[in-house]
Every structure is written in C-alpha cells, then in structure tokens.
Amino acid sequence: MSDHLADGATESAPFLEMTGITKAFGGVPALVDASLTVRRAEVHALVGQNGAGKSTLIKILTGAQRRDGGSITFDGRPIAFRSPQEAQRNGISTIYQEINLVPFRSVTENIVMGREPRRFGLIDWGSAHRQARALLARLGVDTDVRQPLMNLNVAMQQMVAIARALSHDVSLVVMDEPTSSLDDREVETLFETIRGLRASGVGVIFISHRLDELYALCEHVTIMRDGATVASRSLASMPKLELVATMLGKASGEVQREGQTGFHERGVVERQPLLDVSGIARGRALRGVSVSVGRGE
C-alpha cells in the first residue's frame, strides 16, 4: 500500500474525485462540468471519441494545464498541481502514447533521470543499472540497459517509458493508449503488471480505444463526449453495444442499424466501408495499394 494515504481517508472513500471540471481555450469550451471518480486499487477505464476531452481532463489532473473551474480531491485532500513533476512527487505518474524519452541517452539514464542514485556525491551507475534491470524485469524485458534508447524498437521504448513511470513511488498511474505499439505477448505482460499494481493498492486510469482490453482489465468505465462526462458505470453492467452507443450519443438500435456493432480483434469499433479500394497499381509508383474508409471516419 502506498504511503500517500492522507489522515482520515478511508478505503471506501473515492481515491480520486474530479467534479465540475471546466476548461476553455480561446473562449471555446473543451470541458463542461466533467467528472471522474476512481476508487483505491481499481483499474478504471476512461473512454470517448477523439476530441471528447479525455486528454484535457488528464492534463488538468497532472498539472500540465490549469482548470477554469471545478474541484479535485486526491487521497483525501484537495489538489491543484502546477506541473507533472509535482504530480509525480505526490504519487501520480502518466504514461503517454507518445514516447517522451531521450533517444541518445541510455536505457538506464531514461529510467532514473532526475532521481539518479548517488554515492559519495557521484552517480552510482552500478546501482542505477541494477534498478533499471529490475524494473524492466517486472515487465518481462531483458535487455542491455547501457545501450542508447534509440537502439530499441518502438515497443521496447514503450516498455522503458512504463518502467520509468513505475520507478516512482506511485499510488495512481495514468496509462494513455499504452498498448498501441505492443504485440500480444507484451500486452499480456503489461496486463499482469497492471494487475500486480492493483493488488499492491495502486489505482490505474486506463485510456484505450480497444474495447476487448477494457473488458479484460477494467472494473469501471467513465465515458466522455463533447467535453462532458456522460456515464460512469461498472463495465460488467454495460454491454459493448451500449458503451459504443453512449460514446457516439446514439441509441443502441441506431448504432446496430448503421453497422457499428462489430469489433476488431483488439476492440476498435468497425464500420461498414463507405470507400473500398484494393489492388491499385500504376507502373512503379503504385503497387497493390488498398484503402478502406468507414462512415464517420
């Protein structure tokens, strides 16, 4: 259990509670009375179409942006972080889809950067390498931590980013599309890590468009649309069709009629093709080009 628990906080009280959050950019509303409630030691899905407000809500939580209105309570106390670094110091780490690391630095340096272990005033690289290897081992990764990060493929770089987030004393981890560059084996390893975090009392906010991943991992879901929170439910009580319909702001029957009820292997909503081009060739310029575009894409 994390040591960030505030005096008087109880297991039954919300671990994170964001209520009435508003934000506008240049007078254009991005969030309108948005809310998010996460319990301690749960994996909570945050979903919505692109532009629904998920990223803005997370940036406000982690101090990357300031809210215009509303309140945030974390671990029993009101918060208003001024930077992601301050959020990290208080137990919240974020893993973004875009890998935000330093490619020319070593794997170890990327993991311990800013918190390098020291001995006699100097960086203790032996200890740093051991820490990096141990964190990566939790994710099923065995690699030379002394090599530059740019030597690794994108999937491995993503695992390094996850290891860096876990290197902090975290009590809440935000994962924004963390499986986008991982293969099936790496995804299952990540899921085992997330389940281990939950078992140790750490909460996880899991953002993904892959619905089968949500249903395999998460207990509750918060759905956003047009900058507002439109539903917050137990995933077990919400069929996939209802979840998609709520995301789109349509009736379930309408979604079904429009052919938006299918799901790819990893859960992305399918649509009947509006444009379907296959096998296009033109000399050496084009060879076997295919593209399919669905309605509303």
Side-chain angles (χ1 to χ4, degrees):
M1 186 73 65
S2 170
D3 61 359
H4 294 286
L5 182 62
D7 293 338
T10 66
E11 291 296 321
S12 59
F15 189 42
L16 169 69
E17 190 166 30
M18 306 178 71
T19 58
I21 305 298
T22 60
K23 179 68 178 180
F25 297 98
V28 179
L31 293 176
V32 183
D33 196 27
S35 62
L36 174 64
T37 300
V38 180
R39 298 180 303 176
R40 183 179 298 278
E42 80 160 332
V43 184
H44 193 107
L46 178 61
V47 302
Q49 297 189 90
N50 291 337
K54 306 184 300 295
S55 295
T56 302
L57 189 67
I58 293 303
K59 287 177 180 177
I60 287 174
L61 168 64
T62 58
Q65 293 177 352
R66 299 290 184 89
R67 63 184 184 266
D68 295 335
S71 63
I72 306 174
T73 302
F74 174 61
D75 217 358
R77 65 186 187 277
I79 60 168
F81 298 133
R82 291 167 291 184
S83 69
Q85 291 75 23
E86 184 179 358
Q88 279 189 341
R89 289 194 297 270
N90 284 272
I92 300 178
S93 283
T94 306
I95 303 164
Y96 292 104
Q97 182 178 4
E98 300 81 11
I99 298 171
N100 187 22
L101 299 173
V102 185
F104 295 100
R105 295 289 188 93
S106 71
V107 171
T108 292
E109 288 175 292
N110 274 280
I111 290 175
V112 304
M113 192 177 298
R115 295 165 294 102
E116 297 88 349
R118 294 184 177 272
R119 186 179 183 188
F120 306 123
L122 302 175
I123 296 176
D124 184 351
W125 287 113
S127 176
H129 293 319
R130 287 191 294 273
Q131 287 182 28
R133 281 192 289 266
L135 285 163
L136 289 172
R138 290 177 60 185
L139 300 171
V141 175
D142 181 13
T143 190
D144 179 8
V145 296
R146 300 169 186 263
Q147 66 180 311
L149 184 74
M150 63 183 178
N151 288 0
L152 304 180
N153 61 32
V154 174
M156 289 288 284
Q157 291 184 28
Q158 177 77 339
M159 299 301 261
V160 172
I162 293 170
R164 173 173 171 77
L166 298 182
S167 69
H168 294 82
D169 180 19
V170 295
S171 52
L172 179 67
V173 180
V174 182
M175 296 187 174
D176 185 1
E177 301 285 355
T179 65
S180 59
S181 60
L182 305 182
D183 63 27
D184 290 341
R185 182 191 64 79
E186 292 162 337
V187 168
E188 186 52 42
T189 300
L190 174 63
F191 280 14
E192 288 301 317
T193 300
I194 292 173
R195 294 180 184 113
L197 289 171
R198 177 174 58 193
S200 66
V202 175
V204 177
I205 298 174
F206 192 83
I207 303 171
S208 178
H209 289 92
R210 295 170 173 169
L211 301 187
D212 61 337
E213 293 182 355
L214 303 183
Y215 281 88
L217 192 65
C218 303
E219 296 135 293
H220 291 82
V221 60
T222 293
I223 303 173
M224 298 190 69
R225 188 175 69 244
D226 299 329
T229 299
V230 294
S232 186
R233 294 258 302 276
S234 162
L235 260 179
S237 70
M238 178 172 276
K240 287 182 180 179
L241 176 59
E242 183 182 353
L243 189 151
V244 173
T246 305
M247 283 175 54
L248 298 177
K250 298 180 179 181
S252 297
E254 183 182 1
V255 172
Q256 198 163 25
R257 287 193 301 273
E258 292 177 353
Q260 296 174 306
T261 58
F263 300 89
H264 289 303
E265 181 180 354
R266 279 192 157 179
V268 180
V269 179
E270 289 181 346
R271 295 175 170 84
Q272 296 297 324
L274 180 65
L275 171 68
D276 198 2
V277 179
S278 62
I280 300 298
R282 182 178 180 182
R284 296 183 178 179
L286 298 175
R287 289 179 292 179
V289 175
S290 301
V291 63
S292 180
V293 181
R295 294 182 183 277
E297 290 185 322

